[in-house]
């Protein structure tokens, strides 16, 4: 048996060339997978941004509907930045409080 020739009759050089080609193919597939992953992440980020904008618009419309209704209301202003009394509501959003009316 000769050294450098496999049982099928392939030389070591042809085996190394095939290994290099499969490595190049693997790298190309990995690059394509990475690209599609980036596209997916950017789409998710765009959807999250759009959902946040839609939620803001819905809350604004709901606030306008509530303000158009009956009842006395007072706009609440925070005492200062450190003592945020609104919980998770952002500082730039308006917060109103309605006086309780006794139901008759």
């Amino acid at each position: 048996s000769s050294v450098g020739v496999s049982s099928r009759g392939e030389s070591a050089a042809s085996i190394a060339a095939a290994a290099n080609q499969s490595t190049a193919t693997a790298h190309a597939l990995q690059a394509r997978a990475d690209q599609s992953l980036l596209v997916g992440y950017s789409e998710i980020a765009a959807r999250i941004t759009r959902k946040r904008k839609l939620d803001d618009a819905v809350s604004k419309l709901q606030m306008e509907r509530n303000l158009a209704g009956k009842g006395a209301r007072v706009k609440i202003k925070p005492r200062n930045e450190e003592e945020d009394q609104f919980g998770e509501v952002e500082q730039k959003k308006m917060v109103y409080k309605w006086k309780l009316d006794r139901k008759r």
Side-chain angles (χ1 to χ4, degrees):
S1 85
S2 64
V3 176
V5 177
S6 68
S7 62
R8 293 185 191 171
E10 298 172 344
S11 68
S14 65
I15 292 173
N20 286 340
Q21 184 179 9
S22 68
T23 303
T25 304
H27 286 292
L29 289 174
Q30 183 65 36
R32 190 177 310 153
D34 291 344
Q35 181 66 27
S36 66
L37 192 64
L38 288 175
V39 168
Y41 282 140
S42 64
E43 182 178 337
I44 288 173
R47 287 180 183 213
I48 289 171
T49 303
R50 184 170 186 269
K51 183 183 182 321
R52 191 173 297 133
K53 287 181 180 179
L54 286 173
D55 289 343
D56 288 345
V58 167
S59 66
K60 183 177 179 182
L61 288 173
Q62 184 64 40
M63 178 61 71
E64 288 178 4
R65 177 177 282 179
N66 291 342
L67 288 173
K70 295 181 180 179
R73 57 202 161 265
V74 177
K75 184 175 177 181
I76 300 175
K77 295 181 183 176
R79 290 185 293 274
N80 57 25
E81 301 266 336
E82 292 83 29
E83 298 179 25
D84 184 15
Q85 63 188 14
F86 301 145
E88 295 183 12
V89 177
E90 296 177 15
Q91 289 289 332
K92 65 181 181 178
K93 294 188 179 182
M94 294 180 285
V95 177
Y96 292 90
K97 182 176 180 180
W98 275 259
K99 291 183 180 178
L100 295 177
D101 290 333
R102 188 173 73 98
K103 303 295 180 191
R104 297 179 192 176

